Amino acid sequence: MGIREVAEHAGVSTATVSFYLNKPDKVRPETAERVRVAIEALGYVRNDAARQLKAGKSRMLALIGFDVTDPFFAAVARGIRAAATQHGLYVVLADSDSQVDLETEYLHLFEEQRVRGLLLAPVADPSPYLVEGKARVPIVLLDYSPDEGTLPAVAIDGRAGGRMAAEHLLQCGRRRLAFVGGPSEIHQVAERLEGFRGAAAGVADATVELIETTERNARQGRELGRRIADRPESERPDGIFAVNDLVAVGLLQALVVERGLPVPDAISVVGYNDALADEYSPLELTTLHPPQAELGATAVELLLAAEASPAPPPRTVVFMPELIVRESSVPRS
């Protein structure tokens, strides 16, 4: 069924139906109502793929993330959706589940579908296929800073976030520090750890322990929180930086609720993302707040700029996180 059948049912021309579908402001209200009734009666669904082929442009953006369950990514996705809506575009979401092979499959799939552009939060370093400009659609990297500036990108300065977390814990008098998160192959994790270690290295009596996780969720935080709590007091870290708020909340649930340890007196805890933690945490969580919505909106603007120019100069926009001090960390008296 096509617009010809709709036009015959409504008693109008096919051009009128086309105007109704694409430029409804050019159709008189009474005529538009007849077309609408005909479409509903016939159950007509427009072939958007054919329309896009004729117009030469898709209205779809593809967003690929390595962990869409992370509240940080969800907040970024909302920023992307809001910005895309302002330009009359839609967003389809895919989760690579931290698997490079699956990420590559999605890249090729969305290219075959001729989406308007790709927004990619890569699992690891972007493949040569992307860096060498072989992609057939514009691509912007999310929360990633390419070393050579070969692709447009938006990022949060994870090293600065790790440094702020360490400096805060050190100012609170903590010296046995621990970083809880992983896998360290993920560049966001590696950056936060690097900044955390770098800041602690400047204090003679400070140590940093890496407690690596395979996932970044509250369940793993609880598991590791129990192990930390069960250590002798002299072997426990007294300051913890969790890779994100989900892990931090899991740690607090185990330390405070299950084991009854005094937080922040015995152990101070800092998270990262400032997203949803207050709904599940037994204490108000000190965390690093990144401007997620602004990052998402900027990514869309870079993508549209890349589309408009055949050879745009690569541009990386880096945002700084902000330390938000709350109940889970406090200077020792």
Side-chain angles (χ1 to χ4, degrees), residues 169 176-180 196 207-211 237 239-242:
L169 290 170
R176 299 190 306 275
L177 306 184
F179 178 88
V180 180
F196 190 67
T207 60
V208 174
E209 175 187 5
L210 171 60
I211 304 176
I240 296 176
F241 176 38

Side-chain angles (χ1 to χ4, degrees), residues 180 216-226 228 242 244-259 269 277 280-282 285:
V180 180
R216 296 159 302 282
N217 53 40
R219 178 182 56 79
Q220 290 240 314
R222 285 191 296 272
E223 291 175 1
L224 293 173
R226 295 176 191 122
I228 291 170
N244 65 18
D245 286 357
L246 292 176
V247 173
V249 168
L251 286 166
L252 289 174
Q253 289 171 345
L255 295 172
V256 177
V257 179
E258 296 183 15
R259 295 296 194 266
V269 178
Y280 309 102
S281 179
L285 178 65

Side-chain angles (χ1 to χ4, degrees), residues 79-295:
I80 289 171
R81 183 197 61 195
T85 300
Q86 293 179 359
H87 294 280
L89 302 174
Y90 299 90
V91 181
V92 59
L93 174 63
D95 185 357
S96 66
D97 195 26
S98 301
Q99 300 178 46
V100 175
D101 291 345
L102 184 55
E103 176 185 285
T104 303
E105 289 179 19
Y106 276 130
L107 284 170
H108 290 300
L109 171 66
F110 287 130
E111 281 195 320
E112 290 171 1
Q113 297 298 317
R114 293 296 193 273
V115 296
R116 187 79 163 264
L118 280 163
L119 299 149
L120 170 66
V123 176
D125 293 337
S127 67
Y129 175 77
L130 298 180
V131 174
E132 293 170 8
K134 296 179 181 177
R136 290 172 288 181
V137 298
I139 293 179
V140 172
L141 301 179
L142 290 173
D143 200 16
Y144 184 88
S145 300
D147 293 334
E148 299 178 5
T150 50
L151 287 169
V154 291
I156 305 295
D157 193 332
R159 294 181 182 88
R163 184 174 64 251
M164 292 177 192
E167 290 173 348
H168 172 67
L169 290 170
L170 292 167
Q171 289 169 1
C172 291
R174 311 307 182 183
R175 291 297 181 267
R176 299 190 306 275
L177 306 184
F179 178 88
V180 180
S184 55
E185 290 79 13
I186 294 177
H187 62 268
Q188 290 94 338
V189 176
E191 285 185 352
R192 294 168 201 177
L193 174 59
E194 180 183 340
F196 190 67
R197 279 176 165 163
V203 178
D205 58 342
T207 60
V208 174
E209 175 187 5
L210 171 60
I211 304 176
E212 192 159 2
T213 66
T214 56
E215 298 176 322
R216 296 159 302 282
N217 53 40
R219 178 182 56 79
Q220 290 240 314
R222 285 191 296 272
E223 291 175 1
L224 293 173
R226 295 176 191 122
R227 297 180 195 174
I228 291 170
D230 292 342
R231 294 183 187 179
E233 182 177 355
S234 61
E235 298 177 12
R236 286 199 299 256
D238 60 4
I240 296 176
F241 176 38
V243 69
N244 65 18
D245 286 357
L246 292 176
V247 173
V249 168
L251 286 166
L252 289 174
Q253 289 171 345
L255 295 172
V256 177
V257 179
E258 296 183 15
R259 295 296 194 266
L261 287 179
V263 175
D265 294 330
I267 305 176
S268 290
V269 178
V270 176
Y272 193 104
N273 284 346
D274 196 24
L276 304 179
D278 57 335
E279 298 183 18
Y280 309 102
S281 179
L283 296 175
E284 292 184 355
L285 178 65
T286 295
T287 189
L288 276 300
H289 173 82
Q292 299 105 316
E294 190 175 356
L295 182 144

